[in-house]
Amino acid sequence: MTRRLALSLVALLVLSVPRAPAQGQDDPAFTLESIHASSTFRASTFQGGRWTEQGPVITYIESADTADATHLLRYNLRTDEQTRVIDGTNLHAGDVDRLVPIEDYAFSESGEKVLIYTDSKEVWRANTKGYYYVYDLGTQTLTPVSNRDDGYQMFAKFNPSATKVAFVRKRNLHVVDLTTGTETALTTDGSDGTIINGTFDWVYEEEFGLRDGWQWSPDGRRIAFFKLDESETRSFPLMNNTTRYPERTEFRYPKAGEQNSEIKIGVIDLSAVDSTAKGQPQAVQYFDTDTWNAGGRTHEYLARMGWTPKVDGTHRVWMYRLNRNQNVLDLLYGHPETGDTKQVLQDTQDTYIDVTNDKLTYLDNGEHFVFLSERNGYNHAYLYRTDGTEVGPLTKGPWEVTQFHGVNEDASTAYVTGTRDTSLERHLYAADVSFAPHETAPSVRKVTSRPGWHTLDLSADHAYYIDRHSTADTPPTWSLHDVSGERLTTLQANDTLDKQLDSLDLPKKQFTSLPGADATSLNAYVIKPRDFDPSRSYPVLMYVYGGPGVQTVTNQWGGTRQLWHQYLARTHDMVVVSVDNRGTGGRGKAFQDVPYQRLGQPESADHIRAAQALADSAWVDADHIGVWGWSYGGYMTLMSMLTGEGPSTFDTGVSVAPVTDWRLYDTIYTERYMSTPDRNADGYENGAPQTYASRLRDDQNLLIVHGDDDDNVHVQNSVQMVNQLQSANKQFRFMMYPTHEHGLAGGNTRLHLFTMITNHIAEHLSPAPATQHAE
């Protein structure tokens, strides 16, 4: 769940003057402006790049001194040697009569040509449409792949011999012969509102992370591609009311329980393509996956696809097929010549299965793959032969593999990131690999040593890795290591920011635990004022996200959000607390599954109980406990304030971009955890904040915030919540940000937003200086 409706509201936003900072704690260098409207505390980042085949060598894009030009460089991370692969000042495109910048690139297999992507535009979350050029490194010539006048191109790729480039344009696949310049449309049925070839609709992109929907076969003879039919899905309107006459945009958005796009996978045989013909039906065949025109049958989604190594002499198309409830995943192999499909393995859960990019990894030997599964209660890696015969587990135990990096086959060693030592951190582990059948997994060895959060990027030869490391108190650093863990060089440090933060003497995160509604011990952190006095009582603000599999309580740098929480503790003399309720990640399948088919109910109960436990502490002002969150956290804020004992527990709340009824959210995300509304009517009703609008107490102080261009959590959610609150004669505050999406970013928006939230919290949660206990 990540990141637009005309409003007619009578709610009034009243801004207040914030309470004066606590005595002696006002620091002109640490303000809302410096946190949200400047780069004062912005961490420097390592640009990174793309690993080459061998050694600690990457390629990356660098801006040139000449305006609008970019270079492509090759960089040895260990020796610090840099070589310019492409001089950006040579990239003059004759079709537009100017230099074109490199935004993305791909080398041909021989390394003699580079496919350059430029002049891109956003499609929902990413800039996935633009224009492509072929740059010949030998002749230093730049050639457009296709005519710009025909429209944007998407996901262009060389065939293995770099004699052809295929791409998606206007929902159809095209291929260009680079020798003759001949362009052929491989599909012709794509059009807005109906057929999509080679890419995806909104919900597949948002919830399965799919954009690029086609692949060359390893031998270059065929193309496998996704086809979707969205003609039976419903459109959702977004309205821009900042123009004289409102401008309306519509896009297909299937809400929970409604019709999804039909989907199937096809294969195009390039040898059967007739470049003189308008269409190529003779060259295309589709696999019967029981997902196209399913008519209520058991299979709903195709969530990933690719090509296998050779199986019995032929590269197959592998596919993930899911039922609508997303708790049965089939790995299918499709034969590209016969069209036959075969189930290779099946992964099942009583609840749901998460599909990730690293769930399936084929090894370089062509004989094995690694598959991630939660079959035994925790996410672990299992080794299979390519034909689907299980060899045995690679990891085991009461901890989670959170990312599979690959196998160094020469060293028979697998590398994973996981939570073996603590769910508050992420570390790199190595495991010995046996290719002989086995029933037990070896113990893993910890590679990273520094406490905190490690985000790893292993080299293509599994000999090196880049480590992005941070802790709750230190901003990130990037360093190069060999796979033994030895640190070779620092790639990017943040020493200046680190010293700057130290000089401010900001409040620190302290990790602890608090009880959940069923007495489960929940991970939590507390940020107290630096001059915290346990004999005084302080207001508390609880920060919540709480959505499935997501953690907020982690030993890693929290960026702007964390700095703002520290600002509140320092300047407004309050305590900020975050709790990872049941349903969040890092603690196994059973813990994460607690809210299944009852989203919002056990999670909010956990936050109410944790707040009550805090209220029992002598240093907590039990009459001034607040809660705030964004997106799922905005939803959790409403549920925590309105359900159970929440109205008597939480004095103040800020709900940003909340879901207020799961029937308003998309199919894939919602049904993964809730099934469909007709199968789980009670879950939807009891998990909707709208149901509880009448429970808002007169002494509770609620602020709701939403952007009216939010294509993800539609402003419709807040409009309906506002309607229910008004119908119940409840007073609250509401702020709408015109033309802003889910992230509410751009210009001074964040500064305005957090100034408003800070004022709301200061006015209601902490109306007076902290008081001392009576003796």
Side-chain angles (χ1 to χ4, degrees), residues 532-557:
F532 178 79
D533 181 351
S535 70
R536 298 169 60 188
S537 62
Y538 295 83
V540 171
L541 177 67
M542 296 183 70
Y543 168 58
V544 58
Y545 184 79
V550 179
Q551 297 172 255
T552 58
V553 185
T554 55
N555 188 16
Q556 66 174 320
W557 175 244

Side-chain angles (χ1 to χ4, degrees), residues 365-600:
N365 63 21
E367 297 178 356
H368 298 88
F369 65 79
V370 174
F371 187 79
L372 301 184
S373 174
E374 296 174 294
R375 67 184 65 164
N376 290 321
Y378 295 87
N379 198 41
H380 281 294
Y382 299 85
L383 182 67
Y384 287 80
R385 295 192 60 81
T386 305
D387 63 6
T389 303
E390 184 172 357
V391 177
L394 296 180
T395 59
K396 66 176 181 180
W399 58 279
E400 299 276 354
V401 170
T402 57
Q403 186 177 2
F404 179 77
H405 298 288
V407 174
N408 183 327
E409 295 170 46
D410 292 337
S412 296
T413 304
Y415 297 95
V416 302
T417 293
T419 64
R420 190 199 66 177
D421 290 70
T422 171
S423 63
L424 301 182
E425 300 184 352
R426 295 292 185 268
H427 288 277
L428 179 65
Y429 300 91
D432 295 331
V433 176
S434 171
F435 292 97
H438 56 276
E439 294 184 358
T440 61
S443 298
V444 298
R445 305 182 299 278
K446 188 179 180 183
V447 179
T448 48
S449 57
R450 292 177 293 173
W453 197 276
H454 298 264
T455 303
L456 293 311
D457 182 8
L458 263 69
S459 62
D461 58 3
H462 302 105
Y464 302 89
Y465 65 85
I466 296 171
D467 180 7
R468 180 190 185 275
H469 170 258
S470 73
T471 69
D473 297 328
T474 58
T477 61
W478 285 258
S479 51
L480 176 69
H481 301 249
D482 66 27
V483 289
S484 71
E486 180 184 356
R487 186 170 180 160
L488 303 176
T489 187
T490 297
L491 302 172
Q492 177 68 60
N494 270 294
D495 295 342
T496 300
L497 176 60
D498 203 13
K499 292 176 181 178
Q500 182 182 15
L501 294 169
D502 280 346
S503 70
L504 291 173
D505 195 27
L506 298 177
K508 305 295 186 182
K509 274 186 181 179
Q510 300 171 357
F511 293 101
T512 185
S513 62
L514 287 166
D518 67 344
T520 297
S521 179
L522 304 175
N523 293 334
Y525 71 68
V526 179
I527 301 175
K528 298 178 180 179
R530 291 294 285 180
D531 60 352
F532 178 79
D533 181 351
S535 70
R536 298 169 60 188
S537 62
Y538 295 83
V540 171
L541 177 67
M542 296 183 70
Y543 168 58
V544 58
Y545 184 79
V550 179
Q551 297 172 255
T552 58
V553 185
T554 55
N555 188 16
Q556 66 174 320
W557 175 244
T560 300
R561 191 67 49 87
Q562 176 178 313
L563 289 169
W564 180 63
H565 288 156
Q566 293 171 311
Y567 169 88
L568 292 175
R570 175 191 176 107
T571 306
H572 292 282
D573 214 30
M574 64 178 62
V575 176
V576 179
V577 177
S578 190
V579 178
D580 276 342
N581 51 260
R582 290 171 296 164
T584 55
R587 297 182 61 175
K589 186 64 171 166
F591 185 87
Q592 191 167 318
D593 280 348
V594 169
Y596 183 65
Q597 294 205 358
R598 52 193 186 120
L599 284 187

Side-chain angles (χ1 to χ4, degrees), residues 232-376:
E232 296 302 315
T233 62
R234 296 186 63 178
S235 294
F236 190 87
L238 301 173
M239 198 75 73
N240 180 356
N241 283 288
T242 65
T243 56
R244 186 181 182 193
Y245 285 87
E247 296 176 355
R248 178 187 180 103
T249 300
E250 289 194 0
F251 69 107
R252 302 287 177 141
Y253 185 107
K255 292 181 181 281
E258 296 193 353
Q259 180 73 40
N260 282 304
S261 294
E262 307 285 2
I263 189 168
K264 61 183 175 181
I265 292 171
V267 172
I268 302 170
D269 183 347
L270 275 298
S271 67
V273 169
D274 179 0
S275 61
T276 66
K278 183 177 181 180
Q280 308 297 326
Q282 78 288 347
V284 185
Q285 68 170 338
Y286 298 95
F287 299 112
D288 182 7
T289 53
D290 192 27
T291 54
W292 188 263
N293 298 324
R297 285 185 270 170
T298 57
H299 305 112
E300 185 75 16
Y301 302 114
L302 296 173
R304 291 291 189 279
M305 169 272 284
W307 289 92
T308 72
K310 285 187 177 180
V311 179
D312 297 329
T314 303
H315 294 287
R316 312 296 173 99
V317 178
W318 68 263
M319 299 162 267
Y320 285 161
R321 181 177 65 181
L322 283 164
N323 61 332
R324 183 139 187 171
N325 273 359
Q326 301 171 66
N327 59 4
V328 179
L329 183 150
D330 300 321
L331 175 61
L332 306 178
Y333 282 1
H335 197 294
E337 296 173 2
T338 67
D340 294 336
T341 59
K342 174 186 177 182
Q343 181 177 303
V344 177
L345 67 81
Q346 185 175 84
D347 198 23
T348 63
Q349 286 286 338
D350 292 335
T351 54
Y352 62 90
I353 295 170
D354 284 315
V355 175
T356 57
N357 288 334
D358 61 345
K359 193 171 183 68
L360 176 69
T361 303
Y362 287 94
L363 304 191
D364 292 340
N365 63 21
E367 297 178 356
H368 298 88
F369 65 79
V370 174
F371 187 79
L372 301 184
S373 174
E374 296 174 294
R375 67 184 65 164
N376 290 321

